[in-house]
Amino acid sequence: MNILAIDSSGDQTSVCVILNEDIVSFSSKHKRKERPDWNQLLINIGHKKIFLLDDIDLFAYANSSNSYTATRSVATYLKAVTIALAKPLIAVLPEEKEGVHADKIAMVAKQKFIDSGHNPKIFNPDEANPLYAIDTQYKKINE
């Protein structure tokens, strides 16, 4: 099973790919107001050299409360990729509050997928929205 996972805080982003049993991860620091270059992150874990996005069976991201903007950015990027490729997407609640650990997110996502009986329909990208620990008090349009 091939899995790609991303975890991001306000100033650091980690990306990991599991290709069968091999794990490759990369972490990059960046300014809080800057979003990472997704292509550069993926190249650093072997994209277009050892895997293509279409080779990935499952995508995952950390639904972290460390930075709502970073989480929404990652979710938006992966939702676009997974919808375009018709692949499953899992939003994982990280167990650790400190640091970014895409490798741990990938392992949790893998177990959730196995526990589901390898059912990709359960992990529809349209449903993989970030959840917030507190009510944001934003009013939805059309309400």
Side-chain angles (χ1 to χ4, degrees):
M1 171 179 278
N2 299 330
I3 302 165
L4 185 128
I6 300 176
D7 188 1
S8 187
S9 67
D11 56 4
Q12 184 176 3
T13 299
S14 173
V15 62
C16 172
V17 65
I18 298 176
L19 301 170
N20 297 315
E21 297 302 319
D22 295 327
I23 300 173
V24 180
S25 62
F26 178 78
S27 184
S28 175
K29 292 189 182 271
H30 48 78
K31 292 184 180 176
R32 194 158 189 80
K33 298 278 183 178
E34 294 177 3
R35 295 292 14 112
D37 179 343
W38 301 119
N39 288 328
Q40 191 60 43
L41 284 170
L42 293 174
I43 286 169
N44 280 304
I45 59 169
H47 181 239
K48 296 185 181 175
K49 287 187 179 179
I50 60 173
F51 75 95
L52 299 173
L53 288 179
D54 201 38
D55 298 334
I56 303 300
D57 302 308
L58 176 66
F59 292 81
Y61 73 91
N63 187 18
S64 173
S65 60
N66 291 339
S67 171
Y68 295 131
T69 302
T71 299
R72 287 192 314 264
S73 177
V74 171
T76 300
Y77 173 72
L78 286 179
K79 285 179 86 166
V81 169
T82 55
I83 288 170
L85 296 175
K87 302 281 185 160
L89 175 62
I90 298 175
V92 175
L93 290 171
E95 293 177 9
E96 297 181 24
K97 299 292 182 197
E98 297 298 320
V100 290
H101 307 281
D103 54 336
K104 292 179 182 176
I105 298 303
M107 296 305 288
V108 170
K110 180 179 181 179
Q111 191 58 52
K112 285 181 179 256
F113 194 69
I114 290 168
D115 292 347
S116 78
H118 295 92
N119 185 353
K121 292 181 182 178
I122 293 175
F123 305 107
N124 181 344
D126 291 334
E127 314 262 327
N129 298 315
L131 301 173
Y132 303 109
I134 58 171
D135 186 9
T136 58
Q137 300 294 319
Y138 294 117
K139 183 177 179 182
K140 293 181 182 178
I141 298 174
N142 299 332
E143 262 190 11

